[in-house]
Amino acid sequence: MKKILPGILILAVVLSSFFVLDFKAAKSETRTNSMISAHSTHEPEIDFPGRIYLYVEGDEALSEPLGEYLRAELEKAGMEVSVSRTFEEKYDSQALLVNIAEPEGLYTPVYASSSLNLMFFYTSTGEDTLYFEKFKEGNVTVDFRGSRKGEKLIDGELELQDSTRGLVSLKAYREHLASEAAKKTVEQLQEQIRDIP
């Protein structure tokens, strides 16, 4: 028993490190499917790059790293990012609102796979954020009646399919998923904004 106990303790420490530490020596294969729609009125003038509000909600384990990676990707694109901790009915400049669902899949220290769903909403004026809540519930018809200024709204759904083989901690795997989701979200946003209206 005295010989077995140290071995059990060592094994416990090694296994717990995969759930506490941040390391990755693995290869990932990631595919993304997206469905994007845009709505415009009165030839919108978009301040991109410029100042943008960022709000992220959803799965707690992923929303924080996703917010950090989204901020980094937006700043890389030249944006001045203001992180909003709460959902607002109106912002004083353009805003990107993101909802991330808990991933479905499998995690082991040597193999992980996930299906991750993310929904994002962009408003060029910071107004009409009510559509963020509506788009989360399903397809919505956008009504610009009464709007006098140019505005562009973009809503998108991303599905990220990932397969990772090798040594990877749970924290590192979540960081990987968040990084990939952030890159694709900002890439899709830039693509839609360039296509005006």
Side-chain angles (χ1 to χ4, degrees), residues 131-193:
Y131 286 113
F132 176 57
E133 297 296 332
K134 292 183 178 180
F135 282 124
K136 284 190 293 187
E137 297 167 4
N139 292 328
V140 176
T141 300
V142 174
D143 184 357
F144 283 116
R145 278 182 299 183
S147 177
R148 294 181 179 175
K149 59 182 173 180
E151 182 179 15
K152 183 161 189 171
L153 304 179
I154 301 168
D155 70 281
E157 293 179 29
L158 300 180
E159 181 186 15
L160 190 143
Q161 300 282 342
D162 180 82
S163 177
T164 294
R165 289 177 169 81
L167 293 175
V168 59
S169 70
L170 181 58
K171 183 177 180 181
Y173 186 60
R174 286 173 175 159
E175 295 269 342
H176 162 68
L177 292 177
S179 173
E180 291 296 319
K183 284 177 192 172
K184 193 65 177 177
T185 299
V186 174
E187 177 186 304
Q188 291 287 340
L189 181 63
Q190 287 180 291
E191 191 175 302
Q192 291 297 321
I193 285 173

Side-chain angles (χ1 to χ4, degrees), residues 90-108:
K90 182 179 178 181
Y91 296 90
D92 60 19
S93 72
Q94 61 193 323
L96 175 63
L97 315 175
V98 180
N99 176 276
I100 186 165
E102 183 179 353
E104 296 178 1
L106 169 73
Y107 169 78
T108 71

